């Protein structure tokens, strides 16, 4: 079946690292994504990783993929108050599905 | 380049009514998908359109329908509204709707059903 799960809340102090975790079930997923949603706005793509990669780094963001355990994580280094938002992981549902499956979202709160 | 535009921004309806939401994709994008967002449920996939054809549909009742026009603009319709249909409805566009593409989201239509 298709399911993407995330914890609902995460609170960190400014300057610390944040790690947001996600598990998915569809082993045929070729691409996995992290999107960010700020209040009153739609989602914006932060980064994505192809399923044959283990890690991808983009400035303060590091994505780790454990394909065996179907586990994806997003690490934000030096977390700032502006990083407070909801973070969604998503998988592309496989070739020919034309469907992206999103998780429940993790609300990150950064404390000053 | 203009972003994805959704209208209206807010909508208040009563049970039993119907509603039509509109989405204008980014120029050149041919794929438009729709999602329902509710607290604790994340984004639930409604359907995806490409070149006026529905290519995939989520697990929603037949009261939820959509269409896409030749200029790629899309509408979704919900008939016989229920209280549980209250949600933020988001549309997203991309070039082809295939994996590896970036989805561009609109700001959504907040629907409240009283």
């Amino acid at each position: 079946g298709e399911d993407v799960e995330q914890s609902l809340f995460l609170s960190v102090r400014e300057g610390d690292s944040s790690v947001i975790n996600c598990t998915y079930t569809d082993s045929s997923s070729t691409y996995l994504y992290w999107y960010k949603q700020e209040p009153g706005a739609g989602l914006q793509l932060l980064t994505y990783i192809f399923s044959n990669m283990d890690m991808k780094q983009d400035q303060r963001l590091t994505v780790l993929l454990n394909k065996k355990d179907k586990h994806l994580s997003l690490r934000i280094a030096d977390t700032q108050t502006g990083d407070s938002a909801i973070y969604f992981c998503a998988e592309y549902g496989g070739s020919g599905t034309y469907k992206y499956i999103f998780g429940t979202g993790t609300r990150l709160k950064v404390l000053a | 380049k203009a972003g994805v535009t959704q209208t209206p921004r807010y909508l208040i309806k009563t049970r039993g009514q119907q509603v039509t939401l509109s989405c204008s994709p980014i120029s050149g994008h041919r794929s438009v998908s729709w999602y329902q967002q509710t607290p604790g449920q994340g984004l639930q996939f409604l359907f995806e359109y490409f070149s006026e054809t529905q290519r995939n549909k989520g697990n929603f009742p037949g009261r939820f329908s959509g269409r896409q026009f030749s200029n790629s603009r899309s509408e979704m319709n919900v008939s016989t509204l229920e209280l549980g249909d209250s949600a933020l409805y988001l549309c997203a566009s991309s070039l082809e709707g295939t994996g590896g593409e970036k989805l561009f989201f609109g700001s959504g239509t907040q629907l409240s059903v009283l």
Side-chain angles (χ1 to χ4, degrees):
Chain A
E2 312 164 333
D3 202 11
V4 178
E5 293 190 353
Q6 303 176 238
S7 53
L8 291 180
F9 299 102
L10 177 65
S11 179
V12 300
R13 295 216 170 270
E14 192 174 22
D16 287 350
S17 292
S18 309
V19 179
I20 303 171
N21 295 301
C22 168
T23 56
Y24 60 98
T25 55
D26 189 348
S27 57
S28 67
S29 295
T30 50
Y31 296 91
L32 295 132
Y33 306 81
W34 284 103
Y35 280 82
K36 176 183 180 182
Q37 185 181 37
E38 298 189 45
L43 280 68
Q44 286 187 299
L45 179 67
L46 284 176
T47 186
Y48 72 92
I49 189 168
F50 190 53
S51 59
N52 68 354
M53 297 170 64
D54 297 325
M55 186 183 87
K56 181 178 180 182
Q57 188 148 4
D58 184 0
Q59 299 182 322
R60 291 192 297 124
L61 305 178
T62 303
V63 178
L64 295 178
L65 174 60
N66 181 329
K67 199 172 178 184
K68 174 176 168 289
D69 294 337
K70 300 190 187 71
H71 182 266
L72 183 74
S73 68
L74 173 70
R75 179 176 179 269
I76 306 172
D78 188 25
T79 313
Q80 302 297 307
T81 54
D83 295 323
S84 293
I86 303 175
Y87 291 81
F88 291 90
C89 72
E91 58 176 344
Y92 180 65
S95 178
T97 65
Y98 310 110
K99 177 179 177 180
Y100 291 76
I101 302 154
F102 285 81
T104 50
T106 298
R107 185 178 293 274
L108 173 65
K109 184 172 181 179
V110 182
L111 306 172
Chain B
K1 209 176 194 181
V4 178
T5 304
Q6 290 189 247
T7 56
R9 186 74 178 90
Y10 301 95
L11 209 45
I12 299 175
K13 293 284 187 179
T14 55
R15 278 183 297 174
Q17 287 188 309
Q18 75 160 20
V19 67
T20 299
L21 312 181
S22 179
C23 174
S24 293
I26 288 173
S27 177
H29 285 191
R30 295 194 291 168
S31 170
V32 175
S33 50
W34 289 88
Y35 296 85
Q36 181 194 65
Q37 183 179 7
T38 53
Q41 293 290 318
L43 273 70
Q44 301 290 311
F45 173 76
L46 282 155
F47 23 66
E48 188 265 359
Y49 286 88
F50 180 86
S51 292
E52 301 179 68
T53 300
Q54 186 184 87
R55 293 194 297 190
N56 204 341
K57 188 178 189 303
N59 297 323
F60 279 81
R63 300 185 296 107
F64 291 81
S65 63
R67 59 178 175 168
Q68 186 182 36
F69 302 94
S70 59
N71 62 357
S72 293
R73 189 178 72 85
S74 178
E75 288 181 347
M76 68 164 279
N77 184 277
V78 188
S79 62
T80 320
L81 284 164
E82 300 177 0
L83 295 179
D85 297 332
S86 294
L88 179 66
Y89 290 88
L90 293 165
C91 88
S93 76
S94 65
L95 286 167
E96 304 284 332
T98 54
E101 287 188 335
K102 179 177 177 178
L103 293 180
F104 291 82
F105 282 84
S107 297
T109 294
Q110 183 67 54
L111 172 65
S112 297
V113 182
L114 306 177

